Amino acid sequence: MFFFDFFVKVCLGSVIVLKIPAKKSLGQNFLKDEEILKRISNTISVTKEDVILEIGPGKGALTKYLLEKNCHYFAYEIDTRMEPILSKLTSNVKYEDFLLSDLVNDFSLLTYQNFYVVANIPYYITTPIIEHLVSSGISISSMILLVQKEVADRFSAKPCTKDYGYFTVFLNYYFEVETQFLVNRTCFDPVPKVDSAVVKFIRKETKKLDEKKFFEFLKCCFSNKRKTLHNNLKQYDWNVIFPVLEKYHYSSMVRAEELPLEVFEHIFFALNL
């Protein structure tokens, strides 16, 4: 268990500045633009009864603005080199791999209203982090994620576009996904090869279904993007599927990338899986 400062009171004065180089193996690119940092912080409105979880605070550039909100704050940081800096801001940091965390256990002693997640996520670990958050058992109200622009495009893609796929539908099942603003690559140190974007995820009420089976079904739908839905779903009863497609005015030659979430849900319910 962790000790939580129920009313976070920290001195945001001078912080020890250490020359800590970014680790390429961790995908580190430190956001240095103060105006962008403030904009990210201002994308969420919290009360003192809410929680902000920051994943990968790094040198604390965004942390100092999140702490000013005077709510429950906690963070996971895998890079122990950051401890001398972060310890000057808050004691509520656990230095471990977030993907190994047990959020339900870690927050079991804390009473709170809304749970917010803020993170600057490297490309290679974006999907695993989101999947870990969704499956954690914690009821997340909203997430603010800084990701590469190409990833943001995939998150908020619409049907019939090249970026639309399984993970887009997965996210749409749980969240309303909105790209807030773009962040130029020059705002980071070291400068990455691509621009980034801040994406907001707002939790929505999900339907009562077997989520494990539903996502297995979705993976089958998108198993081969070049093939039609009919070809990808040969193990399912097409006589049940096709009437649903007709109801939404789709032909038997439709591909998964053309269908919105509601159609997949309707087909799944019709199949009675």
Side-chain angles (χ1 to χ4, degrees), residues 151-159 161-165 168 172 177:
V151 177
D153 291 340
R154 183 158 58 97
F155 288 167
S156 56
K158 302 299 181 185
T161 63
K162 65 179 180 65
D163 293 314
Y164 188 77
T168 310
N172 287 340
V177 183

Side-chain angles (χ1 to χ4, degrees), residues 207-269:
K207 295 180 173 61
K208 294 181 179 179
L209 51 74
D210 187 323
E211 293 180 358
K212 182 179 179 180
K213 288 185 177 180
F214 179 59
F215 293 124
E216 288 175 352
F217 166 72
L218 276 180
K219 287 179 179 178
C220 288
C221 293
F222 286 94
S223 59
N224 192 324
K225 292 191 70 173
R226 292 180 177 273
K227 292 185 177 181
T228 64
L229 191 68
H230 191 187
N231 284 327
N232 284 339
L233 297 181
K234 287 184 176 180
Q235 67 270 49
Y236 297 98
D237 189 345
W238 189 253
N239 291 324
V240 174
I241 297 172
F242 186 57
V244 177
L245 294 175
E246 282 191 312
K247 178 181 178 180
Y248 287 93
H249 308 292
Y250 292 105
S251 76
S252 61
M253 300 301 291
V254 71
R255 289 179 169 82
E257 62 191 27
E258 300 175 58
L259 303 179
L261 170 64
E262 63 177 324
V263 176
F264 290 115
E265 290 177 332
H266 194 156
I267 294 173
F268 182 80
F269 281 121

